[in-house]
């Protein structure tokens, strides 16, 4: 079964800085079936990116996704105050069901 | 707009069962699957399984397949998750979430979550 490892566990940055989050899969992900979610305290996750690089409806263009195979990246070009949250990657489209990474917390430095 | 509205928080004793509901609106219920995902305090999201809202077919994670049952009522556009033999480590927020059925799609909408606390 594929495992998703996210790094770093915590990213301490200031508003306006660039955030780069990594998601590594133990097995190659076919068709780039990789999504990214944002979760704020006390809230449900929100879909940001699907297909590794496609933004979901209403997601600002400061969020971008890239990668293929086993290595994927979520980039937030300039952090806004509302972007400080936990981010999860997810492999979908597997017959075994969706798999989530452990999350990266982006906190205010 | 798409909404998934879950039932309220529950407190249960070890060994009991809990049933969580998920009322869908704003889309064609039967063309989507409903996933159930839980999150223990400070932990990652954990997939429990899904139910096709159209056919009622289910797939359960091996970790839960002996204790969980999913069902749905298409007339009420509501899905249900029944978890039995509760233990303290089942304390978590339980989410329902939808995925378009019939292909490889990401989960694109979530319920607000239901906190289930298991304590003697």
């Amino acid at each position: 079964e594929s495992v998703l490892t996210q790094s770093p566990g915590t990213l301490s940055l200031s508003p306006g800085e660039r955030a780069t989050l990594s998601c590594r899969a133990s097995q190659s992900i076919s068709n780039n079936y990789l999504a990214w979610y944002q979760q704020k305290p006390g809230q449900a996750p929100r879909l940001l990116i699907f297909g590794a690089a496609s933004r979901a409806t209403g997601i600002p263009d400061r969020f971008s996704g890239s990668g293929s195979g086993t290595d994927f990246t979520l980039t937030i070009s300039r952090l806004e105050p509302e972007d400080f949250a936990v981010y999860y990657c997810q492999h979908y489209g597997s017959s075994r069901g969706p798999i989530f990474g452990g999350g990266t917390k982006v906190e205010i430095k | 707009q798409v909404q998934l509205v879950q039932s309220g928080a529950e407190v249960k004793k070890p060994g009991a069962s809990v049933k969580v509901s998920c009322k869908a609106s704003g889309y064609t219920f039967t063309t989507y699957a409903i996933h159930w995902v839980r999150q223990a305090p400070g932990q990652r999201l954990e997939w429990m399984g899904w139910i096709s809202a159209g056919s009622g077919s289910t797939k359960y994670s091996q970790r839960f397949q002996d204790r969980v049952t999913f069902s749905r009522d298409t007339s009420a556009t509501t899905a249900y998750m029944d978890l039995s033999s509760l233990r303290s480590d089942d304390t978590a927020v339980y989410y329902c979430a939808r995925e378009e059925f019939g292909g490889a799609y990401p989960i694109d909408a979530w319920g607000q979550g239901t906190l289930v606390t298991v304590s003697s």
Side-chain angles (χ1 to χ4, degrees), chain A residues 4 33 35 37 39 43-45 47 50 88 90 92-93 95-98 100-102, chain B residues 35 37 39 43-47 50 59 95 99 104-108 110-113:
Chain A
L4 298 180
Y33 289 152
Y37 296 85
Q39 187 179 34
Q43 296 185 18
L47 177 65
F50 64 95
Y88 293 96
Q90 179 216 29
Y92 60 93
S95 60
R96 293 175 180 263
F100 294 92
Chain B
H35 292 263
V37 177
Q39 188 171 37
Q43 301 301 308
R44 73 173 65 190
L45 299 160
E46 181 176 27
W47 178 73
W50 59 258
K59 183 175 178 67
Y95 294 101
E99 174 194 338
Y105 301 99
I107 288 172
D108 68 352
W110 299 69
Q112 83 276 18

Side-chain angles (χ1 to χ4, degrees), chain B residues 85-109:
Chain B
S85 303
L86 290 168
R87 308 184 290 253
S88 58
D89 62 358
D90 289 319
T91 294
V93 176
Y94 290 77
Y95 294 101
C96 64
R98 75 164 197 177
E99 174 194 338
E100 189 171 349
F101 193 73
Y105 301 99
I107 288 172
D108 68 352

Side-chain angles (χ1 to χ4, degrees), chain B residues 13-64:
Chain B
K13 294 195 181 301
S17 297
V18 68
K19 190 166 188 172
V20 178
S21 66
C22 173
K23 166 73 175 173
S25 62
Y27 71 96
T28 303
F29 182 65
T30 52
T31 61
Y32 284 76
I34 295 290
H35 292 263
W36 290 91
V37 177
R38 78 177 190 180
Q39 188 171 37
Q43 301 301 308
R44 73 173 65 190
L45 299 160
E46 181 176 27
W47 178 73
M48 300 178 69
W50 59 258
I51 181 168
S52 163
S55 68
S57 62
T58 55
K59 183 175 178 67
Y60 300 115
S61 165
Q62 279 194 317
R63 181 164 146 77
F64 299 100

Side-chain angles (χ1 to χ4, degrees), chain B residues 4 11 17 21 37 53 55-56 65 68 71 73 76 78 81 83 108 116:
Chain B
L4 298 170
V11 179
S17 297
S21 66
V37 177
S55 68
Q65 64 183 12
V68 74
S71 58
D73 179 343
T78 300
M81 187 275 298
L83 185 63
D108 68 352
V116 176

Side-chain angles (χ1 to χ4, degrees), chain A residues 55 58-64 75-78:
Chain A
R55 272 187 300 276
I59 301 304
D61 61 7
R62 64 180 181 273
F63 291 92
S64 63
T75 301
I76 310 170
S77 60
R78 291 179 318 280

